[in-house]
């Protein structure tokens, strides 16, 4: 089951600038792995881990011009998702910082009720939870 | 006495078979009598005359018919040789064809290799020669010179010596195989025709050369997979050949089973790529409407 946060008062910042109309953000950490074999054994003798990257999707209502520019120019950016449960200073908050992000693709969809949303698929070098 | 018409000219002939001398004479206004005699034209005479009158040209083998006729008439007196119709008669005599033009059986070996040489019971048993024998004969009779000259008569003689297994004379009397050279014009012609049909079949009548490339490929598949000759494939019942080809399709050339061909399925609904949020290890953050513009 994926881990789901419902952030009532949150924001998504790209290079420090907020993005309007964010609907959801989903990401997973992907680590390459190779099992090391040995002749004479039917069990792996070691595990070799390779690259660790972050793959994610950001869904925004309508479209996000800043992400469209990043896709077109293929430039990297930093993204921070600041999550707050409420407006009070004591309300739980959490922050996910994505470093060296690149937008790979985007998908546009418009529902029958006329609401449009764009999903941007991105990758990042690392994610830091703060 | 019979009347023979050759090339528009009428001849009176006393014909008692190609193994006996022929007495012939030109008919003028329907009148005339046999005036000269032609001896039996033996197979060795035929090959000797061919050697003297056959040329290998750009279009293949070319026969100088006039020179050949002169060879046939060489033993006839000079007066007969002067007769312009004598050459046509000589060519007919050397051809070994019946004067009454009656139909004769094709000069082709039967299932046991026998071919009838005449109507008196003479016959010869032949076998096809191998590719190696043919290559050796071609090589032996390819004469180097300015370019290459081919001794076609030597090649024919090699074919006869290699392929003649038994020889029977009139009344099915057994003869030595080297007696082929004494065969008369009819026997020699049929012997050479049968050998040509056996070893150099006409491409027009060869079913293997007339089939499409796809069928030729199927035939060769069977030959390669089962070690059969093309003749055996052709002689096998068609239904059996079809079953063998179907088995080859299933087993494959190397004897390994191949996957059975699945029927083409209609394209179903395209499955979409799973969203990131559907991955079990994904972290999903849902932004509420209230978050917009609060910060």
């Amino acid at each position: 089951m994926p881990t789901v946060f419902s952030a009532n008062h949150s924001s998504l910042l790209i290079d420090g600038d907020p993005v309007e109309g964010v609907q959801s953000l989903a990401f997973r950490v992907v680590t390459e792995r190779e099992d090391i074999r040995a002749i004479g054994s039917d069990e792996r003798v070691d595990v070799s881990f390779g690259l660790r990257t972050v793959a994610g999707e950001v869904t925004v209502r309508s479209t996000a011009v800043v992400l469209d520019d990043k896709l077109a120019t293929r430039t990297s950016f930093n993204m921070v998702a600041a999550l707050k449960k409420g407006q009070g200073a004591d309300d739980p908050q959490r922050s996910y910082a994505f470093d060296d992000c690149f937008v790979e693709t985007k998908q546009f969809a418009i529902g029958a009720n006329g609401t449009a949303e764009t999903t941007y698929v991105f990758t990042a070098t690392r994610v830091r939870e703060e | 006495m019979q009347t023979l018409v050759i090339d528009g000219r009428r001849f009176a002939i006393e014909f008692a078979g190609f193994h006996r001398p022929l007495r012939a004479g030109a008919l003028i206004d329907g009148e005339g009598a046999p005036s000269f005699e032609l001896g039996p034209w033996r197979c060795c005479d035929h090959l000797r005359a061919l050697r003297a009158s056959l040329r290998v040209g750009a279009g293949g083998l070319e026969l100088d018919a006039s020179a050949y006729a002169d060879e046939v008439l060489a033993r006839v007196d000079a007066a007969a040789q002067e007769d312009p119709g004598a050459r046509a008669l000589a060519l007919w005599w050397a051809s070994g064809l019946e004067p009454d033009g009656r139909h004769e059986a094709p000069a082709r070996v039967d299932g046991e290799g026998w071919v009838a040489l005449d109507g008196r019971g003479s016959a010869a048993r032949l076998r096809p020669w191998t590719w190696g024998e043919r290559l050796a004969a071609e090589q032996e009779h390819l004469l180097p010179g300015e370019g290459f000259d081919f001794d076609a008569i030597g090649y024919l003689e090699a074919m006869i010596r290699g392929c003649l297994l038994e020889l029977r004379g009139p009344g099915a009397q057994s003869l030595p195989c080297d007696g082929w050279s004494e065969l008369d014009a009819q026997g020699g012609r049929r012997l050479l025709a049968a050998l040509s049909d056996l070893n150099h079949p006409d491409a027009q009548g060869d079913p293997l050369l007339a089939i499409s490339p796809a069928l030729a490929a199927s035939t060769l598949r069977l030959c390669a997979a089962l070690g059969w000759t093309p003749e055996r494939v052709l002689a096998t019942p068609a239904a059996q050949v079809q079953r063998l080809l179907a088995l080859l399709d299933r087993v494959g050339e190397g004897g390994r089973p191949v996957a059975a061909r699945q029927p083409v399925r209609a394209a179903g609904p395209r499955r979409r790529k799973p969203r990131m949020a559907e991955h079990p290890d994904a972290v999903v953050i849902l932004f509420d409407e209230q978050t917009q513009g609060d910060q």
Side-chain angles (χ1 to χ4, degrees):
Chain A
M1 278 290 292
T3 305
V4 181
F5 289 102
S6 180
N8 295 333
H9 301 275
S10 303
S11 63
L12 187 69
L13 306 176
I14 292 181
D15 291 336
D17 297 325
V19 179
E20 301 289 338
V22 177
Q23 302 291 297
S24 66
L25 166 67
F27 71 91
R28 52 193 290 259
V29 178
V30 181
T31 305
E32 291 178 351
R33 177 184 59 83
E34 183 177 355
D35 297 330
I36 307 300
R37 306 161 187 265
I39 296 176
S41 172
D42 56 1
E43 295 181 345
R44 65 186 184 189
V45 296
D46 202 350
V47 178
S48 170
F49 288 97
L51 275 179
R52 175 175 294 172
T53 56
V54 179
E57 292 179 355
V58 174
T59 302
V60 299
R61 192 172 59 244
S62 182
T63 185
V65 176
V66 62
L67 290 174
D68 290 337
D69 291 340
K70 298 300 180 185
L71 174 62
T73 59
R74 300 180 190 174
T75 51
S76 68
F77 57 95
N78 293 325
M79 182 166 63
V80 176
L83 313 176
K84 289 180 68 175
K85 196 69 174 174
Q87 287 184 325
D90 297 332
D91 288 329
Q93 56 184 352
R94 184 178 285 188
S95 168
Y96 287 97
F98 299 88
D99 300 334
D100 300 329
C101 304
F102 287 89
V103 179
E104 291 189 346
T105 60
K106 73 172 184 181
Q107 299 165 8
F108 178 82
I110 186 166
N113 55 0
T115 56
E117 61 182 30
T118 305
T119 301
Y120 298 89
V121 178
F122 70 93
T123 58
T125 301
R126 71 190 68 84
V127 58
R128 291 176 287 114
E129 182 181 352
E130 296 168 355
Chain B
M1 194 174 69
Q2 293 174 273
T3 300
L4 181 68
V5 181
I6 299 175
D7 201 20
R9 296 204 56 180
R10 303 171 71 88
F11 294 89
I13 61 171
E14 290 178 5
F15 175 77
F18 290 98
H19 61 291
R20 298 261 174 83
L22 173 77
R23 286 185 51 79
L27 290 176
I28 301 174
D29 295 331
E31 300 291 331
S35 58
F36 61 90
E37 185 175 282
L38 287 169
W41 188 245
R42 300 169 301 168
C43 194
C44 57
D45 298 327
H46 169 63
L47 293 178
R48 177 178 46 76
L50 274 184
R51 191 184 293 277
S53 56
L54 205 60
R55 301 283 180 268
V56 179
L61 290 175
E62 297 168 354
L63 174 68
D64 183 352
S66 182
Y68 186 92
D70 289 342
E71 290 286 330
V72 179
L73 295 171
R75 295 182 215 152
V76 179
D77 58 78
Q81 290 183 19
E82 297 296 324
D83 188 340
R87 282 208 170 95
L89 186 72
L91 290 177
W92 163 78
W93 178 240
S95 71
L97 292 169
E98 294 286 342
D100 52 7
R102 67 176 165 214
H103 175 76
E104 63 176 26
R108 197 170 291 162
V109 297
D110 59 16
E112 296 178 359
W114 287 100
V115 56
L117 298 179
D118 56 28
R120 299 177 295 139
S122 302
R125 188 161 72 91
L126 308 173
R127 68 159 178 92
W129 64 354
T130 64
W131 184 249
E133 290 171 332
R134 177 172 164 179
L135 287 180
E138 287 175 351
Q139 185 65 29
E140 182 184 347
H141 297 97
L142 203 59
L143 308 172
E146 208 173 287
F148 276 99
D149 199 12
F150 184 61
D151 180 10
I153 308 309
Y155 178 83
L156 275 176
E157 291 173 344
M159 191 193 306
I160 295 172
R161 285 193 299 270
C163 301
L164 181 60
L165 298 175
E166 278 186 67
L167 191 62
R168 288 179 188 166
Q173 168 196 5
S174 181
L175 296 174
C177 282
D178 56 4
W180 62 266
S181 60
E182 299 298 317
L183 290 172
D184 59 26
Q186 184 180 41
R189 172 178 59 81
R190 289 182 64 82
L191 174 67
L192 291 173
L195 278 173
S196 295
D197 180 70
L198 200 57
N199 295 316
H200 291 274
D202 181 18
Q204 299 292 332
D206 189 346
L208 272 180
L209 299 180
I211 58 177
S212 66
L215 292 176
S218 299
T219 306
L220 283 176
R221 271 187 75 197
L222 277 175
C223 293
L226 303 175
W228 288 7
T229 60
E231 284 72 24
R232 184 172 174 184
V233 174
L234 288 178
T236 305
Q240 194 172 350
V241 171
Q242 203 164 347
R243 290 176 67 191
L244 287 168
L245 288 172
L247 282 175
L248 280 175
D249 286 336
R250 288 181 60 187
V251 172
E253 302 302 329
R256 293 183 296 275
V258 297
R261 292 179 185 171
Q262 300 291 341
V264 176
R265 297 183 184 171
R270 190 181 296 181
R271 294 189 176 181
R272 66 172 178 82
K273 188 178 173 184
R275 298 286 301 273
M276 179 65 62
E278 295 169 1
H279 284 275
D281 59 345
V283 176
V284 181
I285 304 168
L286 299 176
F287 287 73
D288 197 342
E289 289 291 333
Q290 296 180 15
T291 68
Q292 311 308 319
D294 282 356
Q295 292 290 327

